[in-house]
Amino acid sequence: MPELPEVEVVRLGLDRHVVGRTVAAVEVLHPRAIRRHEPGPLDFAGRLAGRTLHAAVRRGKYLWLELDGRTEALLTHLGMSGQMLVQPEGTADEKHLRVRISFADGGPELRFVDQRTFGGLAVAELAEVDGALLPDPVAHIGRDPMDPDFDLERAVAALRAKRTELKRALLDQTLVSGIGNIYADEALWRTRLHWARPTAALTRPAAREVLGAATAVMAEALGAGGTSFDSLYVNVNGQSGYFDRSLAVYGKAGQPCPRCGTLIVREPFMNRSSYFCQSCQRRPVARQR
């Protein structure tokens, strides 16, 4: 799944190429792509036609385009393989093109391409939450560490109060948004913390450190265009990021830890995987009852 840096790369491209333009027409080529827009394809297209895209906005891993009037937004869920591509008119359709948005200026189209059809688009109402305008389906999502209004101490308190394993808390988007499996593992490695460490035993300095590490690794990934493990994770021009070359532990099972040389271990975690160094990141000792 794309995480904050990958989604931010897409947001920057949308801000550059489609914000300020007026929608001329919308073509829904696969109904599953707008399944989250319950009124259906005709309503979806009708609510976008003639509207000007006001801003490209992101919170955590969620992305949307504010429409003129700032009461509605085009909410985008990239899922596992969704792509928002900007293509010149007349360019051959992509094999998995799901939605085409053309503009009144006759310039490049915005295309939603999704091979696995887990992503989708919807027009959603905007509501003010804690001083920010958010689409209704995103209203419960916490601020991310790159948000100018992110409150570190509030996030530290929420993390320590969760009473769960540390990595589960880092992935809880209602506490802190944007951190996914890749960057959680990288942040935990940087701070020498095991993914199963109880949050109840986490000190405030350690909580600040791991959130700071997550922020730093995501900023570095953003500078590299995100992390791309295959051709599905691309920016609006179809280009892949290259931060995967800089990862220390994620996806590195059986390879030496860059810090101590111990082989990296992979363990199952929430239907996914956790990667860590057994030497640098000692497993917490279970307390005797």
Side-chain angles (χ1 to χ4, degrees), residues 28-41:
V28 177
L29 300 169
H30 196 302
R32 183 170 168 80
I34 62 150
R35 64 191 179 281
R36 294 177 178 86
H37 188 87
E38 294 183 359

Side-chain angles (χ1 to χ4, degrees), residues 111-189:
R111 300 180 178 184
F112 179 66
V113 177
D114 190 4
Q115 177 178 325
R116 298 168 184 162
T117 63
F118 291 148
L121 307 177
V123 177
E125 301 291 328
L126 288 171
E128 186 171 339
V129 180
D130 194 22
L133 281 176
L134 302 177
D136 286 338
V138 184
H140 64 292
I141 300 300
R143 293 186 185 274
D144 65 67
M146 294 185 178
D147 188 320
D149 294 318
F150 178 71
D151 187 332
L152 176 59
E153 293 308 312
R154 182 176 176 179
V156 165
L159 202 67
R160 297 178 71 234
K162 189 63 179 176
R163 297 297 187 269
T164 186
E165 296 166 339
L166 179 53
K167 185 174 177 181
R168 288 178 183 271
L170 290 173
L171 298 183
D172 186 338
Q173 302 298 295
T174 66
L175 301 181
V176 179
S177 64
I179 305 172
N181 209 37
I182 296 173
Y183 301 116
D185 279 358
E186 293 296 304
L188 290 167
W189 177 81

Side-chain angles (χ1 to χ4, degrees), residues 51-52 54 67-72:
R51 306 291 294 277
T52 299
H54 175 76
L67 304 177
D68 49 10
R70 304 191 70 194
T71 60
E72 294 180 311

Side-chain angles (χ1 to χ4, degrees), residues 186-233:
E186 293 296 304
L188 290 167
W189 177 81
R190 291 187 180 199
T191 52
R192 299 174 181 261
L193 293 169
H194 191 278
W195 63 264
R197 185 183 182 91
T199 52
L202 194 67
T203 65
R204 289 184 184 276
R208 293 188 193 101
E209 187 180 11
V210 72
L211 289 173
T215 305
V217 73
M218 289 191 295
E220 293 166 21
L222 178 58
T227 298
S228 299
F229 286 103
D230 59 38
S231 60
L232 298 179
Y233 297 146

